[in-house]
Amino acid sequence: MKKWNSMWLVFALALMAILGACSAKEDKESAAQGEKVEPSQAATAEVTIDNNGTTQVYKEAPKKAISLNQHVTEIMLALGLEDSMVGTAYLDDKIYEPFQAAYDKVPVLADQYPTKEQVIDAEADFLYGGWKSAFGEKGVGTPGELEALGIHTYLHTASNMTKPTLENIFIDIRNIAKIFRVEDRGEALIDQMTKDVDNIRAKLPQDGKELPVLVFDSGDKEVFTAAQNFMNELVTIAGGKNIFGDVESGWTTVSKEDAVARNPEVIVVIDYGETSAEEKINFLKNDPALKETEAVKNERFVILPLSAASEGVRAADAIQILAKGFYPDNF
């Protein structure tokens, strides 16, 4: 009797194990099916984007994208879209270090803008330009010409407007994330950038004083400087006052005399191209007019890479560099 009871017990346990395994398998299959449904629905939903005078409908996420300027390349990489890219172009300087590994996966098509033939050979279905020149006469073609070839285009709005703000960059990030069906990544990126900027702001002096700042891009006889472009926003958030922020322009040319009269206490030197930041600083120190400013007398220079000054994902880093240069005792 005990023998039969033992056999029935073993049989019951085995049956329970089989039923449990079947149930677990069904649950896993059900969960897997549930996970597949949401991305599939999102991928098949049409996305309509109004941009650069065009209305473009995306029936699916682009699979062969090309980025045409560095700051938009970095936005693509920040969103983890390197596997959806078949090319990139036009670096201002070194790619942002956290994105180097992802960048290395993407073919570099040209030092500047690729030709239309290169774009066609890459079988591109999406082009992302940072500046209007990307779709201008010396660029890869107009949006209309490219659309006729079945290629979608997107021009980074924040880089092509007066008085761009962080929020304008966020709008572009959201649009790209929507086009590629990675909205969650877009929001995560925006949240992180916002937190980083808030942390910097919290360390700035709260006395209400504004530090007069000159942005020096270049110039020999005159000064090429920032007016109401994105540098104005960066300087302001970092606790400075752009001395030419009242000029209704983006980048603008001003006289040395005007720059001296406004007497900046700090000069932000934009670093790019063949003339190094050190060479620019040496010029400022030896120029008969500009060496009379408080900034040059006290050797208060902040070097900022052009790629960080653009309307991209490096905004918080740019603000950090500026804030540390403006108020070193607070950092």
Side-chain angles (χ1 to χ4, degrees), residues 93 214-220 223-225 251 267-287 290-291 296 301-306:
D93 47 49
L214 168 67
V215 176
F216 183 79
D217 177 282
S218 56
D220 182 5
V223 174
F224 190 55
T225 187
W251 290 98
I267 296 178
V268 176
V269 178
I270 305 300
D271 189 13
Y272 72 99
E274 296 179 358
T275 304
S276 69
E278 289 72 20
E279 289 173 321
K280 292 180 182 181
I281 290 172
N282 188 56
F283 165 78
L284 292 167
K285 287 181 177 180
N286 291 283
D287 184 81
L290 296 171
K291 70 179 184 180
V296 177
F301 304 105
V302 181
I303 299 174
L304 186 69
L306 177 61

Side-chain angles (χ1 to χ4, degrees), residues 225-240:
T225 187
Q228 295 180 0
N229 62 17
F230 191 53
M231 275 304 309
N232 189 65
E233 170 87 342
L234 294 174
V235 168
T236 301
I237 295 175

Side-chain angles (χ1 to χ4, degrees), residues 4 12 28-29 34 44 81 88 92 102 122 127 141 151 180 189-190 202 208 229 276 286 328:
W4 283 105
K28 287 181 180 179
E29 289 176 349
T44 57
L81 296 173
T88 184
D92 296 312
L127 298 181
I151 303 172
F180 283 86
L189 175 59
I190 290 168
N229 62 17
S276 69
N286 291 283

Side-chain angles (χ1 to χ4, degrees), residues 61-63 65 76 81 84 126 175-182:
K63 296 180 176 65
M76 293 280 286
L81 296 173
S84 299
F126 178 82
N175 281 342
I176 297 301
K178 186 176 181 181
I179 289 169
F180 283 86
R181 278 61 167 186
V182 291

